[in-house]
Amino acid sequence: MDPTPTVSALVVAARDGDSASWDALVDRFLPLVHGVISRYRLSPADAADVNQTVWLRLVEHLADLREPAALAGWLMTTARRESLRLLEVRNRSLPVDPQAATLDVVDDEDVAEALLRDERAQVLHAALSELPVERRELLTLLSTDPPTSYDEISRRLGIPVGSIGPTRARALSQLRGTRALRSWTDSMGSGGTGGHRNVTRC
Amino acid sequence: MDELRDALRQDPAVPVGWREAARGAFAWRTIDQELLALTYDSDTEAGPAVRGASAARVLEFTGGELSLEVELVNRQVMGRLTGPGAAEVAFESADGRLRSTTPDKSGFFTLDGEDHGLVRFSIESGDSRYVTEWFVL
């Protein structure tokens, strides 16, 4: 198996015009971008436009990304900002029909919980995308519900059953050390009450 | 590990067409073009919405010596370009449609626009080419 190119290497290659590297970046980060955008109540057409905007922005900024390794954060920020922008544009320009009564009344606590859960899921996705492809696949296979058997994993990934346990441990520790998870736990640690609720579930 | 399982299970499928759009964005890679950033958007400025529903959306893009101010109303683009001297302005949509015009001596121009979708302006002046950031109508 080829060694997995790092995000930085893919960014540099894409910057130089290598479209295969661009496609690899898209494949790796599209679920993350989708996750962010789908948190906002945009119409399917608007959500698709935001997705395209995010990638066009990235194309424009390939050359001046200061920290290619932090691409996940850049993409999340851009997706969030563009989603909010479009929501505002729509709210300003669409007349509200008071008869429609589509104002969902949702408990604030529920929203906060859902946002935190979503955010945590996205951070995990971002963290996963920083891992080498073999380790990412291993963790993904181990996370299926019901769990994939070690025999099946061994067959699919072409690694001995005996090495799955140790590799899993190394992959999880690498996951904890990823930029995405570290910066998130740091922000939660200084974030007050929200952080507490999380820690108890980890 | 449990949390990882939750996170992956919650992951709904990426909608059809998103991957193609994302991959296709690479075709818009620009090499010798200067980027004009969106520096003002009347629809997203904070503050009370004092305008009526029919009011125009005003956008401003700037970069280097150049600035472009446009007013979008009912599929019409009215704009003013300042900076480059003689130039050609085009209104492009991400699906490849393009309309262009030459501003008058004071930089004013009018173009037929789109009513929705992903668009940007491009400006050609002598050997220089500028593009604005993409934005959604």
Side-chain angles (χ1 to χ4, degrees):
Chain A
M1 211 181 281
D2 284 348
T4 312
T6 63
V7 171
S8 305
L10 290 172
V11 169
V12 169
R15 184 184 289 172
D16 291 339
D18 180 39
S19 65
S21 295
W22 172 261
D23 289 352
L25 285 172
V26 168
D27 291 346
R28 200 179 287 198
F29 290 107
L30 185 60
L32 180 69
V33 170
H34 173 243
V36 175
I37 297 173
S38 52
R39 273 178 18 199
Y40 299 90
R41 294 185 191 179
L42 293 163
S43 71
D46 281 346
D49 279 345
V50 171
N51 173 58
Q52 199 176 5
T53 306
V54 169
W55 297 101
L56 286 164
R57 281 282 145 78
L58 180 58
V59 168
E60 289 166 353
H61 290 287
L62 272 178
D64 56 32
L65 270 187
R66 262 172 303 176
E67 222 182 329
L71 183 61
W74 189 94
L75 286 168
M76 286 169 74
T77 306
T78 307
R80 192 179 306 129
R81 205 181 48 215
E82 293 305 318
S83 298
L84 284 171
R85 166 184 297 281
L86 196 53
L87 272 183
E88 278 201 63
V89 169
R90 292 295 178 255
N91 287 339
R92 288 284 172 103
S93 52
L94 287 184
V96 177
D97 177 4
Q99 303 289 320
T102 50
L103 276 180
D104 297 356
V105 181
V106 188
D107 187 57
D108 276 354
E109 280 282 303
D110 289 351
V111 173
E113 281 288 344
L115 281 178
L116 262 170
R117 200 171 53 234
D118 277 3
E119 186 171 315
R120 204 162 46 198
Q122 278 157 28
V123 168
L124 277 169
H125 271 293
L128 268 183
S129 63
E130 287 183 38
L131 293 190
V133 69
E134 316 84 62
R135 293 194 173 173
R136 194 163 70 234
E137 278 175 5
L138 176 65
L139 288 183
T140 308
L141 284 175
L142 285 166
S143 305
T144 55
D145 188 23
T148 318
S149 72
Y150 274 24
D151 284 340
E152 174 72 10
I153 291 174
S154 161
R155 201 180 55 73
R156 300 248 294 258
L157 298 183
I159 57 175
V161 169
S163 78
I164 292 178
T167 311
R168 168 187 185 273
R170 277 196 299 274
L172 280 177
S173 112
Q174 191 180 2
L175 191 70
R176 283 186 206 104
T178 53
R179 187 186 296 268
L181 268 189
R182 275 202 324 259
S183 58
W184 192 65
T185 43
D186 286 355
S187 76
M188 293 316 285
S190 58
T193 57
H196 256 310
R197 208 164 36 199
N198 267 300
V199 173
T200 53
R201 268 210 44 187
C202 281
Chain B
M1 201 67 212
D2 286 345
E3 202 161 333
L4 192 61
R5 186 171 303 132
D6 281 351
L8 293 174
R9 190 168 45 211
Q10 281 171 13
D11 187 22
V14 173
V16 174
W18 282 36
R19 184 177 307 273
E20 291 68 23
R23 288 183 164 203
F26 197 60
W28 292 97
R29 198 169 66 100
T30 54
I31 300 163
D32 299 322
Q33 307 184 347
E34 194 170 334
L35 191 65
L36 306 183
L38 179 60
T39 45
Y40 174 79
D41 182 343
S42 60
D43 271 7
T44 60
E45 280 305 297
V50 289
R51 299 173 299 107
S54 65
R57 181 176 176 192
V58 177
L59 302 168
E60 187 183 60
F61 301 92
T62 51
E65 307 280 275
L66 204 137
S67 84
L68 174 69
E69 195 179 321
V70 293
E71 207 175 313
L72 306 163
V73 57
N74 299 332
R75 306 186 56 142
Q76 276 264 307
V77 181
M78 281 166 291
R80 184 173 189 201
L81 180 66
T82 39
E88 174 107 347
V89 179
F91 193 41
E92 301 181 39
S93 64
D95 58 16
R97 277 168 297 165
L98 186 139
R99 293 184 186 81
S100 63
T101 188
T102 309
D104 69 18
K105 284 201 183 85
S106 314
F108 290 100
F109 63 91
T110 312
L111 278 168
D112 284 334
E114 306 289 331
D115 51 1
H116 69 280
L118 202 56
V119 293
R120 73 172 177 185
F121 292 96
S122 61
I123 297 142
E124 252 181 270
S125 172
D127 290 338
S128 306
R129 195 174 136 81
Y130 307 83
V131 289
T132 69
E133 290 185 314
W134 291 95
F135 61 99
V136 183
L137 285 177

